């Protein structure tokens, strides 16, 4: 992607572990790189097609002056989140906060913290086969969209499917969403589990009935395999109730391991 750079923006703010730092304040230097597509801005000479770096500078200043935090790590997180939420054109930010004259009791030029944060493309499957199924699903999607750092872009049609896994139970309502998130895979997993519990989900029978089921299918092109999380979803290629909605909202999205598109996986399963 293209880049807009801001180097060593000087701001006086009150952040630090020691009382004199938060009381008296000190100078900080902030640098960032914004990643976005500015081709249209270059061709049309229109600011609306880009991001106003002057406004970004003032956002950084406002955020640094609005809070008093102990760690510049926390300051960096606040600023990155603020900027990424400011304009959807900004896909990623590299941010550095420098702290001159840091009180370490030794001569030094400065200390700094650097972070990279970005929006992540995620696909989540949803399902329900107990109680008011559609309401459970609609409420969960509303809650996901309200979650800080989450934005739903696409929602598939809700389909009716037969139970999977051999347990006798009622038929399911299923579907999938495309989601942009600032959350890590594990933070997102935790949030989805919260919503399942809020809907009264009980994990008594493997592949058994449930009020709400929310599964991370894909997280960017990441491959994660541990006791807590498996991405891509380990069994998605065997599930019509997953591949059919995925084929609707992302027919050419490729599985990061097999390299096959959702359409190819669906046709093979059929």
């Amino acid at each position: 992607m293209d880049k807009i750079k801001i180097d060593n923006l000087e701001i006086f703010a009150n952040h630090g572990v020691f009382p004199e730092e938060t009381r008296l304040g000190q100078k900080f230097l902030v640098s960032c790189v914004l990643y976005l597509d500015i081709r249209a801005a270059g061709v049309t000479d229109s600011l609306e097609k880009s991001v106003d770096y002057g406004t970004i500078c003032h956002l950084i200043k406002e955020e640094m002056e609005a809070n008093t935090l102990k760690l510049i790590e926390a300051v960096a997180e606040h600023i990155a989140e603020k900027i990424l939420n400011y304009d959807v054109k900004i896909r990623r930010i590299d941010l550095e906060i420098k702290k001159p004259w840091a009180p370490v009791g030794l001569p030094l030029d400065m200390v700094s913290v650097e972070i990279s944060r970005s929006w992540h493309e995620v696909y989540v499957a949803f399902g329900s086969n107990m109680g008011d199924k559609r309401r459970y699903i609609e409420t969960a999607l509303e809650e996901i969209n309200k979650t800080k750092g989450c934005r739903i872009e696409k929602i598939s049609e809700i389909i009716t499917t037969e139970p999977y896994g051999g347990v006798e139970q009622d038929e399911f309502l299923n579907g999938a969403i495309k989601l942009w998130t600032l959350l890590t895979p594990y933070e997102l997993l935790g949030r989805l589990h919260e919503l399942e519990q809020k809907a009264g989900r009980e994990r008594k029978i493997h592949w058994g009935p449930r009020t709400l089921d929310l599964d991370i299918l894909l997280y960017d092109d990441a491959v994660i395999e541990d006791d807590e999380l498996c991405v891509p979803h380990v069994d998605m290629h065997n599930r019509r109730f997953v591949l059919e909605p995925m084929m609707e909202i992302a027919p050419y999205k490729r599985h990061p391991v097999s390299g096959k598109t959702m359409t190819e996986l669906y046709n093979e399963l059929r």
Side-chain angles (χ1 to χ4, degrees):
M1 287 181 284
D2 303 318
K3 303 175 185 178
I4 294 176
K5 295 183 178 182
I6 298 170
D7 286 329
N8 291 327
L9 175 65
E10 187 173 317
I11 297 172
F12 193 88
N14 300 66
H15 303 288
V17 173
F18 298 106
E20 56 270 24
E21 294 181 289
T22 58
R23 186 177 68 255
L24 301 176
Q26 60 196 299
K27 181 177 74 173
F28 294 88
L29 300 174
V30 182
S31 300
C32 64
V33 181
L34 310 179
Y35 293 79
L36 66 160
D37 183 355
I38 55 176
R39 167 68 177 172
V43 171
T44 63
D45 196 27
S46 171
L47 181 58
E48 293 180 355
K49 303 293 184 181
S50 185
V51 171
D52 183 353
Y53 49 77
T55 300
I56 297 298
C57 289
H58 285 281
L59 284 176
I60 294 171
K61 181 177 184 294
E62 291 169 6
E63 187 64 31
M64 289 200 70
E65 293 177 345
N67 302 287
T68 297
L69 300 170
K70 294 179 180 179
L71 305 179
I72 53 176
E73 292 92 326
V75 178
E77 289 289 350
H78 280 238
I79 293 173
E81 182 179 325
K82 184 86 171 182
I83 292 174
L84 287 169
N85 278 302
Y86 167 70
D87 193 319
V88 295
K89 291 191 292 292
I90 303 172
R91 309 307 303 170
R92 172 184 159 188
I93 180 172
D94 294 340
L95 177 68
E96 181 180 18
I97 300 181
K98 300 175 184 176
K99 185 176 181 180
W101 321 309
V104 298
L106 293 169
L108 56 73
D109 184 12
M110 65 182 67
V111 296
S112 70
V113 165
E114 293 184 57
I115 66 171
S116 293
R117 298 291 181 266
S118 63
W119 287 102
H120 301 280
E121 181 186 53
V122 182
Y123 293 88
V124 175
F126 59 79
S128 175
N129 78 330
M130 293 178 67
D132 192 341
K133 308 171 191 177
R134 187 171 292 271
R135 182 169 180 78
Y136 281 127
I137 290 170
E138 290 174 348
T139 299
L141 298 187
E142 289 174 7
E143 290 295 319
I144 290 172
N145 217 26
K146 291 178 183 177
T147 299
K148 190 176 182 181
C150 290
R151 186 175 70 245
I152 293 177
E153 181 178 306
K154 292 182 180 180
I155 304 175
S156 74
E157 292 293 327
I158 297 177
I159 60 174
T160 302
T161 65
E162 293 299 315
Y164 179 85
V167 178
E168 188 173 343
Q169 57 191 303
D170 195 11
E171 62 188 10
F172 276 82
L173 295 184
N174 287 107
I177 61 172
K178 179 182 179 181
L179 169 73
W180 291 98
T181 186
L182 299 177
L183 303 181
T184 68
Y186 298 96
E187 290 170 340
L188 179 60
L189 179 66
R191 177 56 176 152
L192 297 182
H193 283 173
E194 285 178 6
L195 295 177
E196 289 178 338
Q197 292 171 4
K198 191 174 180 180
R201 167 78 183 266
E202 295 182 345
R203 300 175 183 271
K204 293 181 177 180
I205 305 173
H206 187 51
W207 286 332
R210 74 283 320 254
T211 54
L212 181 64
D213 194 19
L214 298 169
D215 288 327
I216 300 174
L217 302 174
L218 302 170
Y219 186 100
D220 291 333
D221 290 324
V223 178
I224 304 169
E225 296 177 336
D226 60 34
D227 293 339
E228 191 175 352
L229 180 63
C230 184
V231 175
H233 190 283
V234 66
D235 202 36
M236 65 179 292
H237 58 287
N238 291 321
R239 301 183 176 189
R240 184 187 70 83
F241 61 87
V242 168
L243 294 178
E244 187 173 326
M246 283 295 292
M247 190 175 63
E248 176 191 342
I249 63 174
Y252 304 113
K253 177 67 179 178
R254 292 191 179 275
H255 191 287
V257 176
S258 71
K260 297 177 180 178
T261 66
M262 297 298 110
T263 300
E264 290 172 329
L265 291 174
Y266 178 74
N267 288 335
E268 285 183 2
L269 185 62
R270 288 181 63 193

